[in-house]
Amino acid sequence: MSMSNSWQGLVLILALTAPMLSAHAQRGRQFLSGKEEILQPEAEQLFALANEARARHGAGMLEWDSALAAAARQHCLRMVAEGPISHRYAGEPDVSERASQLGAHFSLIEENVAVGPDPSEIHEEWMHSPGHRANLLSPDVDRVGVAVVASRGVLYAVADYERVVPILKQEQVEAVIAGLVRVSGVTVLRDPAVARAACSQNRGVPSAKSGPQPRFVMRWQDADLTHLPPALVDRMASGQFRQAAIGSCPPQGEEGPFTAYRIAVLLYSTRVGVD
C-alpha cells in the first residue's frame, strides 16, 4: 500500500509469494519474540534500493531519518500483530501523527507498506505499483525511515518518506528572511519588536512609539524559507521602500503534526532609525 499526506495514494495489498525468507534475511536480526524479529540489514537494503532507483530516475538522494525509522518500526510491529496490512488500524494515529510524536519535523509525509518474501521483491512490487512508485521516486521528499519485521515466514515492511523542515529558533528564522530581503537592496532594521508584534496579529500594525508607520505589511506561514512571497518581492522591487522590519512568531491555525513558520515583513518608505 502507498499513502501520502493527501491520503490519495493507490491502495494495493501485495501478494504473499513465498513461504520462506531469503538467505539475506537470515542475518543480523534483533529478536523480539519467538515469532517476529526486526531486521535492520533488510531495512538498510530497501533504503539502498530506493536510492539506486532514484539515481536512475534523476530524483535526489534520500537521507536516513531515525525518527521516521522509529515511526515505521512502530507501525510495522502493529501490522504484524494485526495480520492484514494497512496504513492505519483502530485506535492508531495516522502516519503524520506517528512520525511527529517520535520527533520528525516535516511539511510532507508519505508511506509505503508491503508484505513479501525479501527486500528485493518488496522493492520491485513498489516500483511496479503507480502509487508506491510515486512515493518512492517523489522529488518532493528528501528523508526516509524504513522498518522490516519477519513474521509468519514473510517480511512486513514500512517505508516513511518526508520533506524535512529544519527546526529554527525565532532569531534564526528572522535571519534567514533578512538575507532574502537584503538581496533586493532594502535595509533590514535591527529591532524586530514591532514586526514580531505585527506577526502575532491577523491584521493591522502595532502603533510605533515614534517615527513613521510601515507602508506595506506582509504576513505568511510556510515550511519553506528559501523564497519570499511574490507580492513582497514585487513591492521591494518597486523602489518605493528603503527599510524593512522582520519578525517571526508561532504559526496560527496550524493544528496537527506538520511544521511551519509564521513571518511578518514591514516595509518603510522613509528611514525609521539606525539600522
Side-chain angles (χ1 to χ4, degrees), residues 194-222:
V194 174
R196 287 178 177 177
C199 180
S200 64
Q201 299 177 352
N202 289 322
R203 63 182 63 184
V205 182
S207 299
K209 295 181 180 179
S210 61
Q213 289 288 99
R215 296 287 302 278
F216 179 79
V217 179
M218 171 67 73
R219 301 176 180 86
W220 76 97
Q221 293 183 185
D222 202 341

Side-chain angles (χ1 to χ4, degrees), residues 9 14 22 31 35 89 93 101 108 125 149 163 173 178 185 206 235:
L14 304 182
S22 67
F31 284 84
K35 295 183 179 180
Y89 299 100
Q101 289 170 1
L108 169 71
E125 291 287 354
V149 176
R163 182 72 179 183
V173 174
R235 290 286 183 146

Side-chain angles (χ1 to χ4, degrees), residues 116-137:
D118 57 59
S120 295
E121 180 93 7
I122 289 170
H123 174 74
E124 286 303 314
E125 291 287 354
W126 283 345
M127 288 296 291
H128 287 88
S129 162
H132 299 81
R133 181 187 178 93
N135 287 346
L136 195 153
L137 298 179

Side-chain angles (χ1 to χ4, degrees), residues 80-125:
V80 170
E82 297 285 345
I85 63 174
S86 176
H87 288 286
R88 188 178 186 183
Y89 299 100
E92 183 187 32
D94 66 26
V95 60
S96 61
E97 293 171 325
R98 295 194 301 267
S100 177
Q101 289 170 1
L102 290 168
H105 296 274
F106 47 85
S107 58
L108 169 71
I109 191 163
E110 303 170 341
E111 181 175 80
N112 283 355
V113 302
V115 173
D118 57 59
S120 295
E121 180 93 7
I122 289 170
H123 174 74
E124 286 303 314
E125 291 287 354

Side-chain angles (χ1 to χ4, degrees), residues 102-200:
L102 290 168
H105 296 274
F106 47 85
S107 58
L108 169 71
I109 191 163
E110 303 170 341
E111 181 175 80
N112 283 355
V113 302
V115 173
D118 57 59
S120 295
E121 180 93 7
I122 289 170
H123 174 74
E124 286 303 314
E125 291 287 354
W126 283 345
M127 288 296 291
H128 287 88
S129 162
H132 299 81
R133 181 187 178 93
N135 287 346
L136 195 153
L137 298 179
S138 172
D140 297 324
V141 298
D142 52 19
R143 300 286 181 91
V144 66
V146 185
V148 177
V149 176
S151 184
R152 304 181 183 93
V154 292
L155 302 184
Y156 290 74
V158 176
D160 289 341
Y161 312 88
E162 72 176 3
R163 182 72 179 183
V164 70
V165 176
I167 304 307
L168 303 177
K169 297 180 180 178
Q170 184 180 38
E171 296 83 1
Q172 292 174 310
V173 174
E174 293 164 355
V176 170
I177 299 302
L180 298 176
V181 167
R182 290 191 182 99
V183 172
S184 69
V186 175
T187 301
V188 176
L189 299 173
R190 292 179 181 175
D191 186 358
V194 174
R196 287 178 177 177
C199 180
S200 64

